[in-house]
Amino acid sequence: MAHLLFITLTIALQALVPLVHSYGHANMCRSYCGNLTIDYPFALQSGCGHPGFRELLFCINDVLMLHISSGSYRVLDIDYAYQALTLHDPHMSTCDSIVLGGRGNGFVVEQWRAPYLNPTGDNVFMLIGCTAESPLFQGFPEKHLPCRNVSGMGCEEFYRCPSWNMIGPKRAGSVYGTGPPECCAVPFEAIKSINLTKLDCQGYSSAYSLAPLRVAVAGAGRWSYGIRVKYSVQRNEPFCRACEATGGSCGYDTNGVNELCMCGSSNSTSNCDSVHSSSCRGTWTLVHTLAGFLICMIVWMKSQYS
């Protein structure tokens, strides 16, 4: 019986030691969805990350989804070094398939998120089947159309894709003949919002390139199709550095404005060291006291039964 109690106390002490060393130093906000790491400024938990990205990402059956006013998109990649997201819209046209009927989400972000989240400059949006009444073509043909190549990608190359064989592009329109072009390529900055309903378009495609010269040579069949979104973080750098240096994670309070340092079960307006030395002191002391008690019990039992 005494031997069994001795073994039980030893196991309890071994389980307690890691807690003593790591208490308050785990990154409580870092998480995963499938094979994607979710880290600052993003988060899946309320209060974690940057307030500008709250209620943005959701993990559904190990699939990471981004939700904005224009709809939901699958997140294919998060590039923390370049500060960019790669998104997929299942109703977006590609070189292999033209999707009409205005079913694509396009890309429209809430106004309050606009300072933090916008498509990158190398992302081209090719709007398909827009009517002559579309805002894109107001004043045509007197007014020059906004359509143009972006990073070596545009409609002239897109027209060569197999998907166009089924509907046939209006070649006359593509060179500003008797009517608007069947496809109009624009950068996001030119119109600030890809809303198929407001633009009166039947569909769209989106492609991006990190190496425009190679893409131009390869043709539209080798483009990377998707929406490449640049995110920016407006944060208090010294605050976050101090928080992360003490094992915390940058977060925000319930009003979504003030920054907080997330320190395990407690938060701080400065860093985790201040939490450990004040509000968590009682818990920290309790952990050490319990560890000391177990050590004393083990030593006493060894002296009694050796």
Side-chain angles (χ1 to χ4, degrees):
M1 181 68 181
H3 180 67
L4 181 61
L5 181 59
F6 174 76
I7 293 176
T8 302
L9 289 173
T10 302
I11 294 173
L13 179 61
Q14 289 174 342
L16 193 61
V17 168
L19 180 61
V20 172
H21 289 292
S22 64
Y23 178 82
H25 289 280
N27 188 327
M28 301 301 295
C29 290
R30 180 178 292 122
S31 55
Y32 302 88
C33 182
N35 62 346
L36 296 178
T37 301
I38 317 300
D39 209 344
Y40 189 91
F42 305 106
L44 297 176
Q45 308 98 309
S46 178
C48 289
H50 188 281
F53 300 97
R54 66 184 182 273
E55 298 177 351
L56 182 69
L57 297 182
F58 301 88
C59 189
I60 304 172
N61 297 325
D62 284 336
V63 175
L64 188 63
M65 302 295 295
L66 176 142
H67 184 76
I68 54 177
S69 59
S70 56
S72 296
Y73 309 78
R74 181 171 182 172
V75 181
L76 302 179
D77 180 62
I78 304 178
D79 188 336
Y80 291 100
Y82 186 67
Q83 293 192 329
L85 297 159
T86 303
L87 309 178
H88 171 69
D89 176 5
H91 299 301
M92 183 183 72
S93 297
T94 66
C95 201
D96 298 319
S97 174
I98 298 293
V99 181
L100 301 178
R103 291 186 295 162
N105 290 328
F107 191 88
V108 181
V109 70
E110 296 89 341
Q111 188 174 2
W112 68 271
R113 288 198 202 273
Y116 308 105
L117 202 67
N118 275 304
T120 60
D122 60 12
N123 208 126
V124 58
F125 287 91
M126 290 167 287
L127 300 161
I128 302 169
C130 304
T131 68
E133 290 72 36
S134 170
L136 290 170
F137 308 135
Q138 293 307 300
F140 176 82
E142 291 81 9
K143 183 180 177 182
H144 184 67
L145 294 181
C147 314
R148 61 179 182 272
N149 280 13
V150 179
S151 294
M153 298 176 291
C155 289
E156 287 303 315
E157 295 82 6
F158 193 47
Y159 282 142
R160 299 188 182 99
C161 287
S163 56
W164 282 99
N165 294 334
M166 298 183 65
I167 61 174
K170 298 175 182 177
R171 292 292 183 176
S174 69
V175 292
Y176 309 153
T178 58
E182 185 71 6
C183 172
C184 181
V186 296
F188 184 80
E189 285 299 315
I191 52 179
K192 301 294 186 182
S193 176
I194 307 297
N195 185 320
L196 298 186
T197 301
K198 290 185 177 180
L199 292 173
D200 206 0
C201 300
Q202 285 293 304
Y204 83 105
S205 183
S206 175
Y208 62 92
S209 170
L210 302 182
L213 293 178
R214 288 208 303 268
V215 167
V217 173
R222 301 292 296 275
W223 291 351
S224 297
Y225 289 90
I227 304 174
R228 183 85 166 168
V229 177
K230 183 77 172 175
Y231 68 85
S232 60
V233 182
Q234 301 173 6
R235 67 172 180 171
N236 185 341
E237 291 290 346
F239 172 84
C240 277
R241 280 199 298 268
C243 172
E244 292 168 354
T246 55
S249 301
C250 290
Y252 56 90
D253 60 13
T254 53
N255 62 21
V257 177
N258 299 316
E259 291 181 299
L260 286 178
C261 186
M262 316 288 283
C263 306
S265 60
S266 301
N267 302 327
S268 170
T269 55
S270 55
N271 58 63
C272 290
D273 284 348
S274 65
V275 171
H276 298 159
S277 62
S278 56
S279 62
C280 289
R281 184 175 299 159
T283 306
W284 182 253
T285 303
L286 177 61
V287 170
H288 283 87
T289 300
L290 183 56
F293 172 76
L294 290 175
I295 292 172
C296 290
M297 285 293 295
I298 292 172
V299 171
W300 180 80
M301 290 186 66
K302 287 182 69 175
S303 65
Q304 293 295 314
Y305 298 97
S306 60

